[in-house]
Amino acid sequence: MSDGTPAEQFFDAAIGLLQRVRDEEAETIEAAGTLLADTVAAGGRLFAFGAGHSSLAAQDVVYRAGGLALMNLLAAPGLVGVDVMPATLGSRLERVDGLATAVLDTSPLLAGDTLVIISLSGRNALPVEMAAEARRRGVRVIGVTSVAYATQTTARNSTGTFLKDHCDVVLDSKISIGDAELTLDTIPAPFAPASTVVTSALLQAVLATTAATLAARGIEPPLLRSGNVDGGHEWNARVFEEYRDRIFYQR
């Protein structure tokens, strides 16, 4: 490890990763932002999905001040964060064949929509099958994953493929295998994961691109404002009304 306190070392590691994705993923960020803008302009709907801790980044772009009002969370019991007990059940559900199809069958996703799927490893059955099945149904898919897993681990699903193999656009978070940035001689395991920080930043960069792309086309981006600033609720009520047929978290 480098010099400095563990806190300083973590910040340095996170900043380094953010700089890498800014520089190395610029083209894919632009592509993903443009795909979302294309979907909005064409009347499609936007969805985000992540299982376990990958769901944190998905939740971060839904019903968010400064974010796109049209981004909806695709959720299923036991798959959102650690909302199921025992929490380890969520990890097992990610490996269940056929679960992704059941989730999609009961979701409002339609051909022409775009789905963002977040999975750090991209190796389990759930994200892989969800991406493949969504595309089969005419849904465009943006994957957010660490491509390193596809070269350094084996797939944990019946197809032998990874999330990155079933996407229209792939955003590589650059997170190393194991998602732990620090080590100490006095601690037997690596620690301090950075995937949530980096993945959330990647998605916000994509949505910023989407907003700017829509504006450049003469389309007002359907953005939300904070309810804690004067006029925020009134602004959001107008957006909700205008796009009520494409927003599902109000129902």
Side-chain angles (χ1 to χ4, degrees), residues 123-124 149-157 160-162:
R123 68 193 294 236
N124 290 313
Y149 277 84
T151 60
Q152 300 178 44
T153 69
T154 56
R156 191 185 281 147
N157 61 84
T161 59
F162 287 79

Side-chain angles (χ1 to χ4, degrees), residues 4 13 21 43 56 70 74 92 115-116 123 136 144 151-152 158 163-165 174 180 202 204 234 246 248:
V21 296
L56 296 175
L70 304 191
L74 183 62
R92 295 195 176 191
L115 171 62
V116 178
R123 68 193 294 236
R136 190 187 69 79
V144 188
T151 60
Q152 300 178 44
S158 60
L163 171 60
K164 73 174 186 63
D165 300 317
K174 316 294 181 183
L202 258 174
Q204 293 299 343
E234 292 76 14
R246 297 156 75 179
F248 297 93

Side-chain angles (χ1 to χ4, degrees), residues 38-79:
D38 291 343
T39 305
V40 172
R45 294 90 57 79
L46 310 179
F47 295 84
F49 173 83
H53 286 95
S54 289
S55 179
L56 296 175
Q59 294 177 61
D60 188 52
V61 296
V62 175
Y63 187 46
R64 181 65 188 265
L68 286 177
L70 304 191
M71 186 62 75
N72 300 278
L73 185 67
L74 183 62
L79 300 177

Side-chain angles (χ1 to χ4, degrees), residues 69-228:
L70 304 191
M71 186 62 75
N72 300 278
L73 185 67
L74 183 62
L79 300 177
V80 181
V82 289
D83 65 330
V84 62
M85 293 297 290
T88 50
L89 175 60
S91 298
R92 295 195 176 191
L93 289 175
E94 289 185 62
R95 305 172 192 174
V96 174
D97 291 334
L99 180 56
T101 299
V103 173
L104 290 174
D105 283 346
T106 55
S107 79
L109 268 166
L110 297 172
D113 294 342
T114 295
L115 171 62
V116 178
I117 300 178
I118 304 155
S119 173
L120 177 61
S121 71
R123 68 193 294 236
N124 290 313
L126 180 60
V128 172
E129 291 179 3
M130 181 169 289
E133 179 62 18
R135 291 183 83 193
R136 190 187 69 79
R137 300 180 185 207
V139 175
R140 305 294 293 276
V141 175
I142 297 171
V144 188
T145 187
S146 171
V147 174
Y149 277 84
T151 60
Q152 300 178 44
T153 69
T154 56
R156 191 185 281 147
N157 61 84
S158 60
T159 69
T161 59
F162 287 79
L163 171 60
K164 73 174 186 63
D165 300 317
H166 304 279
C167 300
D168 296 281
V169 180
V170 177
L171 296 166
D172 184 2
S173 64
K174 316 294 181 183
I175 300 296
S176 58
I177 305 298
D179 192 18
E181 295 301 318
L182 304 184
T183 59
L184 276 176
D185 292 341
T186 54
I187 299 177
F191 58 101
S195 61
T196 304
V197 172
V198 176
T199 302
S200 292
L202 258 174
L203 288 178
Q204 293 299 343
V206 168
L207 294 182
T209 302
T210 300
T213 300
L214 288 169
R217 298 178 185 179
I219 301 172
E220 180 184 329
L223 297 171
L224 295 175
R225 290 188 173 183
S226 172
N228 294 312

